[in-house]
Amino acid sequence: MSNSFVLVINSGSSSLKFAVIDSANGEAVLSGLGECFGLPESRMSWKFNGEKTEIAIEGDDSHHKIAISKLVGLTEELGLQENIVAVGHRIVHGGEKFTKTVRINEEVTAEIEKLADLAPLHNPAGAIGIRAAMEAFPSLPQFAVFDTAFHQTMPERAYTGAIAKELYTDYGIRRYGFHGTSHYFVSREAAKMINKPIENSSFISVHLGNGASVCAINKGDSVDTSMGFTPLSGLMMGTRCGDLDPGIIEYLLKKGWSQDKVFTALNKESGFLGVSGGLTSDARGILEAMEQGHEGAKLAFQVFTYRVSKYIASYLAALDSFDGIIFTGGIGENSMPIRSQILSNLKLLGFKEDVKGNEDARFGNAGIIGNSEMLDAVAMVIPTNEEYVIVQQSMALLNN
C-alpha cells in the first residue's frame, strides 16, 4: 500500500468512534466503535475487509486509553500503521478561540479542556481521546477539527442573543452552532452538483439525524444556523426539544422540578420520543407506527416536518441568492416521506417533489429530488462525510 491514511477519532463521554481513511478518496479501510465505557459490558468492535470483530474491554485504567492502545496494536496487525501519516480528532466545541482546524499541542489540548463549560458532555471526552492518542502515537502529527468552526463566519446579527451584553462578554453566551463539518462538506458537494463555484453558491443545508440542524450558507459561508449556545436549540430532534420558551424552565422549577429533571426532560425525553408519547426516538419507528395509525407518531411526524419547513423558509432572509435545499444526515439522506412532506410544506415557495428522484436518492445515493421554478432552485440529497472533512483539513495543514 502506498496511499496516505489518516486515523480519525471521535471521542464521546463513554464511547470512541474511529476510522482509518484513505486521504486520496475518503474511503474507510478500517472503521470501529468502542462503547459502554466504564460499564461491565464495555466493548470494542471494528470492520475490516467486510468482516466484523468484537472484543470486550477490561481493565481499571481509562477505557478510552485502553481502546486506543488496542487500536495501536490493531493497525499494526492489519498492516495499516506504516501508512498512517496523521491523526484527526473531531472536537465539538471550539468556542471563539478556534475558528479553523489546528495542529494539536499541549496548549491546544488545555484550551479544549477549558471550553468544557460550553460542551460538558463532549469536550472533556475529546480531550481524553487526544491525550490517549498523543501517548499512543507520539510520532504522528495530530489535528483538531471543530464542529463550531464553520459557523464562525456568522455575522453579529446572527450570533448575538437579545440579552444583556455582559452575558456575552462575561460568559460567552451567543449562538455557536454545530454540525459544521457536515454543512461544510455537503455545501461543497452541492456546488459541484449544480456546476457552480462554491463562492458563488448559496444553500440552505438541512442535517437531519438524531441531532438535527439547519444552516444558511451564503456564497460558501455559514451565515446562520439553528443550533445555538448548545445543541439543544433549533429543530426538534430524536430526544431534544429544540426551540422552547425559556419561561417553561422557570415554570417547571417553581413547580418543584429539580434542575437535573428539567434538563433531562428537554435533552433526553423530548423530540420524537416525547411527542410520540414515549414510543421511540428513531424516525424509522415513527414512520412505521404512523402507517399503523399511531396518533402520537403521526403528531411527531407533523411537528418535525413543520418545524424543518419553517426554518428553511425563514433562512431565505439570510441569503443574497438561493440555489437550493440540501438534505443530509441519517434521516435527510434516507427518509423519503419526511423529505416529501417538507417539500409539500414549501409549496408556496414553488417547490415540487420529483417522486422518482426522491425514491432514488437514498441509501448513499445523491440526487435532485425536487425544484422550484419560481426561485430557480433545486432540492437535493447529498450524503455527508464528516470524517473525510477531518481527513482533508488534517492533510491540508500537514502538507503546509
Side-chain angles (χ1 to χ4, degrees), residues 169 282 332 334:
T169 55
D282 192 308
N334 298 303

Side-chain angles (χ1 to χ4, degrees), residues 301-377:
F301 172 85
Q302 290 173 338
V303 173
F304 181 73
T305 53
Y306 174 62
R307 288 188 169 205
V308 174
S309 308
K310 278 206 303 182
Y311 257 102
I312 292 170
S314 69
Y315 274 11
L316 289 172
L319 303 177
D320 294 329
S321 59
F322 181 53
D323 292 297
I325 303 166
I326 308 165
F327 289 98
T328 194
I331 297 170
E333 292 170 29
N334 298 303
S335 180
M336 194 175 66
I338 285 175
R339 296 188 310 226
S340 179
Q341 184 60 51
I342 291 167
L343 291 180
S344 175
N345 291 346
L346 297 172
K347 58 184 177 295
L348 203 60
L349 297 177
F351 275 98
K352 294 179 181 177
E353 176 190 1
D354 176 344
V355 177
K356 178 68 165 59
N358 200 9
E359 288 175 354
D360 292 343
R362 290 184 293 169
F363 315 127
N365 296 317
I368 305 289
I369 65 167
N371 76 298
S372 167
E373 291 183 4
M374 183 174 80
L375 298 177
D376 190 24

